[in-house]
């Protein structure tokens, strides 16, 4: 090839291309005439589109500023009664998601071996033909349950649309990921007060006692909770934080109490002991709203003295006593728990102990206390059916008593085991089991093995560690290109209806998966009653009597006449609602229930079995008789509990657990060797567990997660700040630098989540999809080159025995200097 | 025929830009047929086809080079300069398209600073009957095409197909000639 054009070349080109004449069809034309020349005016107008964040599950209301088709800024929606115009740094960095050139924008089919990284771009038509062909085959063979759908993040209408499709198709082999979040907390609540999600009324409280929640940095209602707690602190409300690590929440507290891992329950029991002994309890609340008596409680709690708890938890008895007294005197106070308290072997009883403590003081469902969540109750088109399932979503039989939120971290192990069936098609949706569960090595091996998982489909906008192993990738849109209605719990205690709408057009061939399932349904000849996401949302708006146009314009809507819903349980049920043919009164529990709603065949059958022993009877729960009246009470969910706060649980007794929360020691922690430490994980304010390390702005702020150890521990082990260490558990080892700090309990080593990706793009792992850029702006200033370590390589996938919560905080490790 | 000056030369450039615009879009049946039919003539100007090349080979290579999802080079000015979609160059291109009295077709679902669009803009500048638009040629070249030169330099070693190697090299040489006509330096500015 010449290095310059000569006259001769032009003549040749002339011969070549003029032969083509104006056969313009060969040359695709991207333009059409607009009719007028339009010149750029400086200071362009910015369009404002309200939508909803989804960098994390808090799903705050946002407004997006768009300049000529480009998203330039994300802010909080000031009209939202939940987040009240505020968002966090992750929310602002959403721009990095939608414009990340490492995104997947086209359907891709695997070419080489699984995980080899060889792909062929295919059209949506080809992709869907292949997928629906396989789906149709399974269904025709009578095995729709062999299609397993496993999601990581799916809420609001996104969830309803997909689940409708799965019902119509016939599978209930649906995996979620709650057991690696806080599923145990929910099971604990369902066993105790009913439907889950506790909202802490910080702005009206007089004291905050926090066990293991870092809600000023990360939480499922992060921005809602953090701003209200901050306002409380500013007013002078005290906050005590029990945590193994000095989190920023602990640092902002009146006092940080460095507790030993997994011993939160001991302190709670001792606090309850103090309150009972000092007669500081709320007898009326206990008698009326719980299923235990004061004397029963006193008897049960007698041996749990502060001195006893001191030995277990390391928290001085005097301190426990002082905080217990302050808690009882606060009237009201809130008691906060999260993963730090719950992701343990004893987590569910810990959660129940929290409720016991709050119930003793009468702080539940009250202004300034802990309240049952209030969220938008959307009505929406529903598909009915009788789907079948493989029994692989609730863990191995006998390991988990009440897996009400499933045991997602055992799914791959169960597929490997094979005794309970294996899916032929395993589809992940915004879910990354290879990375987010413990035991990464095993996860990868299973996902790679075609004899265990014959067909792996990943629906994802990014190349996650699991998506990289898929046979077929369907590119999803990011949340900023998405339509959904949403319903997150409202800390305003008034339900807020809100909308997520595209603020920019989807890039490339990315398609919202909810639209894709409508197409698949259509191809399979399934009638789901709507033909697109927008159609579903509009129909939901009509059914829910919410104006779609208002939502589009404002992003949020709530009934302006509504009052905060405190004391929900005190609502009286009128006789008309509990009298009638389909209603039965259950003597044993005092519950009125509708046997028809519980889908029992006859009243006779229902009466015979009784409320507690009838499958799904809770679905027919009407109210609780107390004295001469019937109240809404604490409505059950997932389990047939009464409308009372069941401090004493027959469900647990039946399975040989203590009916009233009693101390449970973590078996692995019983005899720790001199060199053994307990590994704990945590989250920081600028990253999520697995889906933000690709965001340049966030990764600039957080791209290293050295193992934190106490200076005393370091001295004992001969480790200096910055030394490389090997952390060894019984499932593997990782090598990571250390950071020697004072703000951690000696005996603990803490490694945060978020980092240590081996895929997920340039900033997450160094593994670029998009390359070649020269970077004259922003990315020119990338000064860091670390990716951190994922602690999951060394954390075993172990469920707690009651609910199946992944025991993130129980791992025993050894540390060696490298 | 004088292929080096005057009107004829302009129309050849229009053809070249059309070819370049097509070169950076996904190959289809028509494109491969054109290449196969004109393989001899293409060879004359230095663009060679690989033995037995077919549409699938071409498409696979195109995907690998430009679409990913493994390491690839997205052909967008703002990705190249700012490592993001919809950077500042994207809006500049959009403004320019409007100033020509044109708009992007709705079915084009990517940001408008795609290299093919930039080539098409050049083609449109040259083929316009509006002298005001014709006059923009060098300015646009100066503003937006310089990056392509460096992009091509990085791209060429990435492909194993002779066709893409030689076609990209052809593009580079042509651009260099165009730029030097306008006394523009085409050094690899960002290296
Ligand atoms: S807390 Fe932050 S990331 Fe989570 S939804 Fe709110 S703004 Fe988004």
């Amino acid at each position: 090839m010449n290095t310059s054009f000569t006259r001769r070349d032009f003549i040749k080109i002339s011969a070549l291309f003029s032969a083509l004449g104006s056969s313009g069809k060969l040359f695709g034309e991207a333009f059409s005439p607009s009719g007028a020349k339009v010149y750029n005016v400086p200071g362009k107008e910015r369009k404002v589109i309200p939508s909803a964040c989804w960098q994390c599950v808090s799903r705050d209301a946002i407004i997006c500023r768009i300049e000529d088709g480009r998203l330039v800024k994300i802010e909080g929606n000031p009209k939202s009664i939940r987040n009240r115009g505020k968002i966090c740094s992750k929310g602002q960095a959403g721009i990095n998601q939608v414009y990340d050139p490492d995104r997947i924008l086209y359907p891709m089919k695997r070419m080489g071996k699984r995980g080899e990284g060889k792909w062929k771009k295919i059209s949506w038509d080809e992709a869907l033909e292949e997928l629906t062909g396989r789906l149709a085959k399974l269904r025709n063979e009578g095995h729709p349950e062999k299609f397993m759908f496993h999601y990581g993040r799916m809420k609001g209408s996104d969830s309803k649309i997909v689940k409708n499709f799965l019902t119509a198709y016939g599978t209930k082999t649906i995996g979620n990921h709650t057991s690696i979040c806080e599923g145990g907390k929910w099971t604990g609540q369902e066993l105790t007060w009913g439907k889950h999600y506790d909202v802490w009324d910080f702005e009206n409280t007089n004291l905050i006692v926090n066990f293991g929640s870092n809600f000023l940095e990360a939480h499922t209602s992060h921005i809602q909770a953090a701003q209200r707690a901050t306002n409380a602190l500013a007013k002078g409300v005290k906050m005590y934080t029990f945590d193994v690590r000095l989190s920023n929440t602990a640092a902002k507290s009146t006092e940080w109490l460095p507790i030993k891992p997994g011993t939160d329950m001991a302190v709670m029991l001792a606090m309850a002991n103090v309150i009972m002994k000092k007669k500081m309890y709320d007898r009326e609340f206990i008698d009326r709203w719980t299923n235990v008596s004061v004397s029963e409680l006193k008897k049960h709690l007698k041996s749990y003295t502060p001195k006893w708890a001191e030995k277990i938890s390391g928290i001085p008895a005097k301190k426990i006593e002082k905080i217990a007294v302050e808690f009882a005197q606060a009237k009201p106070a809130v008691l906060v728990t999260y993963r730090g308290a719950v992701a343990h072997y004893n987590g569910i009883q810990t959660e129940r102990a929290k409720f016991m403590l709050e119930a003793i003081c009468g702080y539940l469902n009250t202004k300034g206390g802990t309240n049952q969540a209030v969220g938008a109750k959307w009505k929406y088109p529903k598909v009915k059916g009788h789907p079948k399932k493989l029994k692989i979503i609730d863990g191995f039989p006998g390991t988990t008593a009440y897996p009400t939120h499933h045991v997602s971290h055992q799914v791959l192990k169960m597929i490997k085991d094979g005794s309970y069936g294996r899916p032929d098609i395993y589809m992940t949706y915004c879910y990354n089991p290879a990375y987010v569960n413990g035991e990464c090595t095993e996860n990868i091996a299973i996902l790679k093995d075609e004899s265990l998982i014959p067909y792996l489909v990943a629906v994802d906008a990014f190349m996650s560690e699991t998506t990289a192993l898929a046979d077929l990738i369907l590119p999803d849109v990011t949340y900023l290109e998405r339509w959904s209605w949403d319903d997150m719990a409202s800390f305003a205690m008034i339900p807020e209806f809100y909308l997520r709408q595209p603020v920019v057009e989807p890039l490339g061939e990315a398609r919202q998966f909810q639209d894709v399932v409508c197409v698949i349904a259509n191809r399979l000849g399934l009638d789901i009653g709507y033909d697109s996401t927008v159609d579903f949302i509009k129909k939901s708006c009509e059914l829910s009597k919410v104006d779609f146009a208002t939502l589009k314009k404002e992003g949020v809507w709530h009934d302006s006449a509504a009052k905060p819903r405190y004391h929900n349980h005190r609502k009286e049920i009128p006789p008309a609602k509990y009298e009638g043919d389909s209603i039965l009164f259950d003597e044993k529990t005092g519950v009125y229930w509708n046997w028809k709603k519980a889908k029992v065949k006859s009243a006779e059958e229902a009466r015979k079995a009784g409320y507690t022993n009838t499958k799904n009877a809770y679905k027919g729960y009407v109210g609780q008789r107390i004295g001469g009246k019937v109240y809404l009470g604490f409505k059950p969910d997932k389990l047939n509990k009464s409308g009372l706060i069941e401090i004493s649980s027959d469900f647990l007794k039946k399975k040989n657990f203590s009916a009233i929360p009693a101390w449970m020691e973590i078996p692995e922690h019983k005899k720790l060797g001199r060199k053994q430490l307990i590994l704990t994980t945590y989250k920081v304010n600028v990253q999520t567990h697995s889906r933000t390390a690709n965001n340049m702005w966030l990764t600039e702020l957080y791209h290293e997660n050295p193992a934190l150890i106490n200076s005393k521990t370091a001295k004992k082990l001969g480790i200096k700040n910055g030394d490389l260490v090997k952390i060894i558990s019984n499932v593997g080892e990782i090598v990571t630098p250390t950071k020697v700090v004072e703000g951690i309990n000696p005996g603990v080593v803490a490694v945060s989540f978020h980092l240590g990706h081996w895929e997920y793009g340039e900033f997450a792992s160094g593994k670029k999809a998009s390359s070649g850029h020269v970077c004259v702006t922003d990315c020119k200033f990338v000064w860091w080159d670390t990716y951190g370590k994922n602690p999951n390589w060394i954390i075993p996938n172990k469920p707690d025995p009651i609910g199946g919560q992944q025991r993130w905080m129980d791992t025993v490790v050894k540390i060696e200097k490298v | 025929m004088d292929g080096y000056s005057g009107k004829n030369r302009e129309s050849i450039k229009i053809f070249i830009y059309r070819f370049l615009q097509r070169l950076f879009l996904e190959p289809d049946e028509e494109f491969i047929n054109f290449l196969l039919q004109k393989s001899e003539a293409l060879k004359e100007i230095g663009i060679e086809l690989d033995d037995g090349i077919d549409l699938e080979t071409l498409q696979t290579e195109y995907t690998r080079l430009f679409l990913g999802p493994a390491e690839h080079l997205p052909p967008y000015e703002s990705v190249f300069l700012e490592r993001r979609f919809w950077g500042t160059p994207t809006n500049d291109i959009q403004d320019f398209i409007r100033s020509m009295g044109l708009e992007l077709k709705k079915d084009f679902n990517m940001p408008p600073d795609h290299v093919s669009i930039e080539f098409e803009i050049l083609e449109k500048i040259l083929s316009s009957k509006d002298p005001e638009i014709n006059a923009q040629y060098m300015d646009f070249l100066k503003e937006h095409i310089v990056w392509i030169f460096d992009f091509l330099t990085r791209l060429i070693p990435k492909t194993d197909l002779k066709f893409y190697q030689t076609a990209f090299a052809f593009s580079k040489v042509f651009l260099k000639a165009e730029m030097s006509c306008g006394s523009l330096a085409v050094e690899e500015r960002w290296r």
Side-chain angles (χ1 to χ4, degrees):
Chain A
M1 182 86 214
N2 296 333
T3 51
S4 64
F5 264 96
T6 63
R7 182 168 179 261
R8 219 175 90 79
D9 289 322
F10 268 108
I11 293 168
K12 281 179 200 155
I13 293 163
S14 172
L16 168 62
F17 291 121
S18 58
L20 284 165
S22 58
S23 66
K25 219 181 143 216
L26 175 66
F27 302 105
E29 291 221 6
F31 304 123
S32 55
S34 66
K37 289 185 201 169
V38 181
Y39 295 101
N40 179 25
V41 202
K44 272 183 213 170
E45 198 190 336
R46 285 183 173 182
K47 222 164 61 174
V48 174
I49 303 179
S51 192
C53 186
W54 213 350
Q55 285 280 63
C56 88
V57 72
S58 304
R59 293 169 281 149
D60 290 315
I62 53 173
I63 52 173
C64 296
R65 301 197 181 270
I66 314 293
E67 197 176 285
D68 205 6
R70 172 154 65 111
L71 170 62
V72 292
K73 182 125 185 2
I74 303 176
E75 293 163 20
N77 186 342
K79 290 188 176 145
S80 166
I81 52 170
R82 292 176 310 117
N83 56 301
R84 304 189 295 201
K86 295 178 176 64
I87 57 168
C88 77
S89 48
K90 294 170 295 217
Q92 299 188 49
I95 296 174
N96 286 176
Q97 296 284 23
V98 67
Y99 294 148
D100 184 354
D102 285 339
R103 271 179 74 170
I104 307 171
L105 294 175
Y106 307 90
M108 293 284 169
K109 197 180 150 108
R110 166 169 73 92
M111 295 311 280
K113 287 206 201 84
R114 248 188 212 168
E116 203 185 325
K118 288 198 179 142
W119 303 94
K120 182 181 179 222
K121 171 181 177 280
I122 56 174
S123 67
W124 269 104
D125 198 49
E126 281 173 90
L128 293 184
E129 189 161 315
E130 178 173 315
L131 180 62
T132 43
R134 286 174 185 261
L135 286 171
K137 185 165 169 277
L138 278 186
R139 197 161 183 265
N140 294 340
E141 288 167 359
H143 289 298
E145 77 283 4
K146 288 192 174 184
F147 168 38
M148 173 156 194
F149 182 82
H150 206 154
Y151 65 91
R153 180 173 74 188
M154 195 169 80
K155 295 274 184 190
S157 61
D158 284 12
S159 168
K160 307 300 181 213
I161 293 172
V162 173
K163 286 188 176 163
N164 267 348
F165 161 73
L166 296 170
T167 303
Y169 175 80
T171 183
K172 231 174 29 174
T173 315
I174 303 173
N176 59 355
H177 86 202
T178 317
S179 70
I180 62 162
C181 283
E182 70 298 75
K185 187 168 160 67
W186 307 153
T187 308
Q189 297 191 10
E190 283 146 10
L191 284 162
T192 317
W193 79 340
K195 192 164 170 50
H196 78 275
Y197 210 81
D198 44 335
V199 166
W200 311 307
D201 192 13
F202 290 129
E203 279 179 345
N204 295 304
T205 200
N206 296 325
L207 178 73
I208 304 166
V209 179
N210 169 25
F211 285 91
S213 175
N214 186 14
F215 59 84
L216 292 184
E217 292 193 77
H219 181 260
T220 48
S221 285
H222 171 44
I223 282 298
Q224 292 200 73
Q227 61 174 292
R228 288 169 172 88
T230 307
N231 290 345
L233 297 179
K235 274 195 319 201
V237 168
K238 280 189 186 173
M239 171 154 89
Y240 294 110
T241 292
F242 294 84
D243 201 316
V244 301
R245 184 184 65 92
L246 181 65
S247 65
N248 279 327
T249 307
K252 288 274 179 198
S253 300
T254 316
E255 203 168 324
W256 166 51
L257 300 122
I259 192 168
K260 286 186 190 157
T263 66
D264 307 70
M265 195 207 311
V267 174
M268 291 178 194
L269 291 172
M271 282 173 68
N273 165 294
V274 171
I275 294 167
M276 294 312 290
K277 210 147 89 198
K278 290 190 185 281
K279 297 203 172 70
M280 298 178 85
Y281 47 83
D282 181 340
R283 180 184 281 274
E284 200 198 320
F285 191 91
I286 297 172
D287 287 347
R288 194 173 180 80
W289 295 108
T290 77
N291 69 345
V292 289
S293 65
V294 167
S295 60
E296 260 177 289
L297 279 171
K298 279 188 172 163
K299 193 171 152 228
H300 175 79
L301 293 165
K302 201 167 168 218
S303 60
Y304 297 131
T305 60
K307 275 227 155 68
W308 164 84
E310 175 176 339
K311 268 189 235 138
I312 293 173
S313 65
I315 306 294
K318 282 233 162 63
K319 198 107 274 169
I320 296 175
E321 187 159 338
K322 177 176 173 269
I323 294 173
V325 169
E326 280 184 39
F327 184 76
Q329 283 171 340
K331 292 192 193 333
V334 286
L335 208 159
V336 175
T337 57
Y338 231 84
R339 284 221 301 223
V342 166
H344 292 286
Y345 175 79
N346 60 12
I348 287 180
Q349 289 286 49
T350 302
E351 182 70 5
R352 282 173 42 71
K354 160 198 142 82
F355 278 91
M356 174 169 73
L357 196 44
E358 288 177 300
I360 290 175
C361 298
Y363 294 163
L364 294 173
N365 270 10
T366 185
K367 198 170 177 180
T370 293
N371 286 272
Q372 282 174 309
V374 165
K377 287 264 174 297
W378 283 93
K379 295 198 171 102
Y380 54 89
K382 280 182 195 159
V383 170
K384 295 222 156 76
H386 300 283
K388 301 200 283 182
K389 74 173 173 203
L390 293 178
K391 293 192 168 142
I392 59 173
I393 57 175
D394 289 333
F396 288 96
T399 56
T400 302
Y402 299 105
T404 53
H405 290 265
H406 310 302
V407 191
S408 63
H409 52 95
Q410 295 294 304
V411 165
L412 291 181
K413 279 184 190 291
M414 294 194 78
I415 289 176
K416 183 178 169 188
D417 177 85
S419 317
Y420 308 92
R422 288 184 182 131
D424 277 2
I425 303 174
Y426 182 60
M427 180 187 272
T428 57
Y429 169 82
C430 197
Y431 178 53
N432 186 5
Y435 174 93
V436 297
N437 292 317
E439 296 182 57
C440 299
T441 313
E442 184 184 67
N443 302 338
I444 296 165
I446 296 168
L447 288 164
K448 267 191 175 170
D449 190 336
E450 288 176 56
S451 69
L452 299 177
I453 299 176
Y455 191 57
L456 176 55
V457 185
V459 182
D460 213 331
F462 299 94
M463 187 58 84
S464 80
E465 286 72 10
T466 304
T467 302
L469 302 176
D471 300 316
L472 180 69
I473 304 176
L474 303 179
D476 200 2
V477 294
T478 65
Y479 71 95
L480 292 161
E481 300 154 306
R482 193 169 204 93
W483 282 104
S484 13
W485 54 247
D486 225 328
D487 55 4
M488 189 48 170
S490 167
F491 272 54
M493 295 305 293
I494 293 169
E496 181 166 76
F497 291 77
Y498 63 110
L499 183 73
R500 181 174 297 106
Q501 60 183 323
V503 301
V504 293
E505 293 286 317
L507 275 186
E509 291 175 21
R511 274 203 213 171
Q512 179 164 355
F513 184 63
Q514 283 65 30
D515 286 327
V516 173
V517 296
C518 293
V519 176
I520 297 176
N522 189 280
R523 285 187 180 220
L524 290 170
L526 306 171
D527 183 16
I528 49 172
Y530 43 87
D531 54 23
S532 69
T533 308
V534 174
D535 188 21
F536 178 89
I537 291 174
K538 284 186 177 161
K539 286 184 166 132
S540 304
C541 281
E542 268 168 41
L543 291 168
S544 315
K545 305 210 164 27
V546 176
D547 182 39
F548 178 69
T550 307
L551 272 190
K552 262 193 80 164
K553 189 161 159 263
E554 310 286 356
V556 291
W557 179 83
H558 72 273
D559 176 359
S560 53
K563 294 262 173 329
R565 283 194 207 157
Y566 298 112
H567 310 300
N568 234 359
H569 59 288
R570 290 192 206 160
K571 203 163 114 187
E572 270 186 51
I573 306 286
K577 290 233 164 114
Y578 62 84
E579 285 167 357
D581 287 351
S582 52
I583 311 284
L584 287 177
F585 177 66
D586 186 71
E587 290 283 350
K588 200 172 135 228
T589 53
V591 166
Y592 284 91
W593 64 297
N594 183 326
W595 57 270
K596 277 188 184 157
K597 270 202 180 150
K599 298 212 173 98
V600 190
K601 283 200 195 84
S602 66
E604 192 44 42
E605 200 177 293
R607 202 171 288 124
K608 215 167 125 200
Y611 170 75
T612 319
N613 297 322
T614 299
K615 197 178 168 204
N616 292 335
Y618 73 89
K619 287 189 178 167
Y621 175 88
V622 175
Q624 177 77 32
R625 173 168 287 275
I626 296 172
K629 285 186 176 156
V630 180
Y631 297 93
L632 178 58
F634 294 86
K635 206 176 166 189
D637 188 32
K638 313 255 199 242
L639 296 166
N640 304 331
K641 95 173 218 326
S642 67
L644 299 174
I645 293 168
E646 297 198 342
I647 291 178
S648 175
S649 170
D650 279 346
F651 290 97
L652 291 178
K653 202 166 143 196
K654 226 191 297 179
K655 302 269 180 172
N656 297 322
F657 296 98
S658 174
I660 302 179
W663 174 239
M664 277 167 95
E665 194 172 9
I666 293 164
E668 295 87 339
H669 297 187
K670 272 185 187 156
K671 271 201 199 117
L672 286 182
R674 256 182 60 81
K675 289 196 170 162
Q676 284 181 317
L677 299 173
I678 295 164
L679 173 68
T680 195
T681 63
Y682 64 96
K683 286 184 183 169
V684 299
N685 57 346
V686 296
Q687 292 278 6
T688 60
H689 190 151
S690 68
R691 300 188 191 109
T692 46
N694 59 318
N695 295 180
M696 183 170 69
W697 299 344
L698 299 178
T699 309
E700 175 165 16
L701 294 167
Y702 193 77
H703 48 262
E704 283 179 320
N705 61 340
L708 308 181
I709 50 169
N710 188 283
S711 60
K712 287 196 194 104
T713 321
K715 205 169 158 201
K716 199 171 82 184
L717 298 171
I719 293 165
K720 281 198 269 329
N721 192 33
D723 278 354
L724 269 189
V725 294
K726 201 188 260 180
I727 310 179
I728 308 157
S729 76
N730 61 2
V731 297
E733 53 185 56
I734 54 171
V735 173
T736 176
T738 46
K739 191 170 172 190
V740 176
V741 295
E742 299 306 321
I744 192 166
N745 203 318
V748 173
V749 52
V751 182
S752 77
F753 281 131
H754 321 297
L755 302 183
H757 280 273
W758 56 96
E759 292 282 351
Y760 231 87
E762 180 174 355
F763 295 117
S765 66
K767 200 165 168 186
K768 305 173 182 182
S770 152
S771 75
H773 19 79
V774 294
C775 287
V776 294
T777 59
D778 261 30
C779 53
K780 186 177 175 183
F781 307 110
V782 172
W783 49 270
W784 66 98
D785 60 358
T786 55
Y787 309 106
K789 260 278 143 47
N790 182 6
N792 288 341
W793 296 97
I794 58 170
I795 302 177
N797 284 320
K798 271 193 190 167
D800 91 270
I802 300 176
Q805 165 73 45
Q806 160 68 353
R807 295 167 54 194
W808 287 122
M809 317 296 190
D810 285 347
T811 312
V812 175
V813 295
K814 227 170 62 191
I815 295 192
E816 282 171 9
K817 202 169 145 177
V818 177
Chain B
M1 184 173 76
D2 183 0
Y4 217 48
S5 65
K7 262 205 163 145
N8 214 352
R9 182 164 179 268
E10 293 294 291
S11 66
I12 291 165
K13 274 162 42 176
I14 290 171
F15 283 130
I16 293 177
Y17 280 126
R18 284 190 185 174
F19 175 72
L20 296 186
Q21 185 250 26
R22 198 61 196 78
L23 179 67
F24 289 89
L25 290 179
E26 260 192 275
D28 59 9
E29 201 77 46
E30 251 173 326
F31 187 61
I32 184 83
N33 287 344
F34 164 75
L35 297 179
L36 292 171
Q37 274 165 25
K38 299 286 169 191
S39 63
E40 283 307 308
L42 285 164
K43 205 169 173 182
E44 286 280 295
I45 58 164
I47 300 176
E48 292 182 45
L49 295 188
D50 307 70
D51 291 336
I53 193 162
D54 58 8
L55 183 57
E56 169 131 9
T57 320
L58 210 54
Q59 280 175 338
T60 308
E61 185 65 356
Y62 183 90
T63 302
R64 198 180 66 80
L65 288 175
F66 299 119
L67 305 180
E71 192 165 338
H72 65 288
L73 287 92
Y76 300 88
E77 186 169 348
S78 79
V79 176
F80 189 75
L81 299 181
E82 301 180 354
R83 201 211 161 268
R84 57 176 170 176
F85 287 118
W86 279 96
T88 32
T90 319
N91 285 112
D92 293 347
I93 291 290
Q94 193 155 266
D95 289 341
F96 195 88
I97 293 170
R98 285 201 202 107
S99 76
M100 291 168 74
L102 295 172
E103 61 190 20
L104 259 182
K105 279 189 183 158
K106 279 268 180 289
D107 56 4
F108 191 81
N109 51 9
M110 289 305 289
D113 56 343
H114 190 287
V115 64
S116 278
I117 302 231
E118 298 198 2
F119 283 134
E120 185 158 346
I121 290 173
L122 284 156
E123 187 248 85
K124 289 278 186 286
I125 295 176
L126 292 177
S127 59
S128 173
K129 297 204 169 57
D130 182 342
E132 208 182 291
I133 290 179
N134 299 147
Q136 307 262 5
Y137 183 67
M138 270 304 154
D139 280 349
F140 189 87
L141 214 52
K142 201 165 25 173
E143 278 296 312
H144 292 285
I145 295 301
V146 179
W147 76 272
I148 298 176
F149 199 80
D150 201 19
F151 176 69
L152 289 167
T153 308
R154 284 158 195 245
L155 189 59
I156 291 168
K158 300 278 181 203
T159 175
D160 301 328
L161 278 193
K162 218 189 304 165
F163 166 68
Y164 275 133
Q165 273 167 7
T166 53
F168 296 155
F170 169 86
S171 319
K172 225 175 133 178
V173 168
F174 167 71
L175 288 179
K176 198 166 180 176
E178 279 308 282
M179 304 286 274
S180 52
C181 272
S183 328
L184 299 174
V186 287
E187 297 323 312
E188 290 158 35
R189 298 204 313 195
W190 297 286
R191 271 273 153 104

